[in-house]
Amino acid sequence: MTLFACGEQDTNSLTDEELAIEAPREIKWEALIPLGFEPDTIAAKYMPLLEAFEDDDPKADETYQQMMSEINSAPLNTEMQDQNVKIGGFIAPLAYSEGNIVQFLLVPYFGACIHVPPPPSNQIILVKTAEGQAIDGDMAYYPVWVSGMIEVDKQTTEFGEAGYRISDAITELYEHTVL
């Protein structure tokens, strides 16, 4: 079974100098969070309140909306603008073409954006794949690497608010070797 519908980028024709210029810097999800912001504090602040309400209590919905407002307004790391990055994560598919995923949210853990609440906006990247980089729809549950120029750009989607965007993304199966 292959991950990609249209194959991987051919880097054999690039010179060493071109590869060095184009090589993305591998980052972790923490790089997207500005110094001083603690994303776990939002959920920690609201979850005890939400758990205390009965399911049909109107105050539960009001409290949940307050929490979502804070999650969606999480600060973004503007220093990431126009950085060539490579980041691993999980897919929440948004758009398909011929059974292949061409647009998705990249999130730090499996099931994010499907379960409630979604991660803060500074932990969601809206990804549009480059030509030939669509992901086979059957591979939506597997972790991937995404490479490309990241932009600080808030956009609302059906699954959550993305704080970042990577257009023309290069995708590959995430493989991690444990020594």
Side-chain angles (χ1 to χ4, degrees), residues 48-78:
L49 296 170
L50 290 170
E51 290 170 355
F53 292 120
E54 296 293 324
D55 289 342
D56 59 348
D57 190 329
K59 290 183 180 181
D61 188 50
E62 181 181 316
T63 302
Y64 180 77
Q65 293 307 318
Q66 289 174 338
M67 179 179 71
M68 290 308 301
S69 177
E70 281 193 48
I71 285 173
N72 291 334
S73 63
L76 305 174
N77 185 351
T78 57

Side-chain angles (χ1 to χ4, degrees), residues 116-148:
V116 181
S121 58
N122 62 19
Q123 294 293 280
I124 302 175
I125 303 171
L126 177 62
V127 178
K128 294 180 183 177
T129 61
E131 184 72 29
Q133 292 294 309
I135 299 172
D136 184 305
D138 293 335
M139 302 304 287
Y141 299 105
Y142 292 88
V144 297
W145 285 108
V146 172
S147 300

Side-chain angles (χ1 to χ4, degrees), residues 34-55:
L35 290 175
F37 177 73
E38 298 289 331
D40 293 338
T41 60
I42 297 172
K45 175 177 155 183
Y46 287 100
M47 291 314 287
L49 296 170
L50 290 170
E51 290 170 355
F53 292 120
E54 296 293 324
D55 289 342

Side-chain angles (χ1 to χ4, degrees), residues 1-3 89-94 96 99-101 104-107 110-111 135-144 173:
M1 177 176 354
T2 60
L3 175 64
F90 292 88
I91 297 170
L94 295 174
Y96 291 83
N100 298 310
I101 303 166
F104 57 91
L105 296 178
L106 187 71
V107 293
F110 183 78
I135 299 172
D136 184 305
D138 293 335
M139 302 304 287
Y141 299 105
Y142 292 88
V144 297
L173 181 62

Side-chain angles (χ1 to χ4, degrees), residues 3-17:
L3 175 64
F4 303 100
C6 300
E8 296 187 17
Q9 180 183 29
D10 178 19
T11 57
N12 292 332
S13 61
L14 299 176
T15 66
D16 288 342
E17 189 172 287

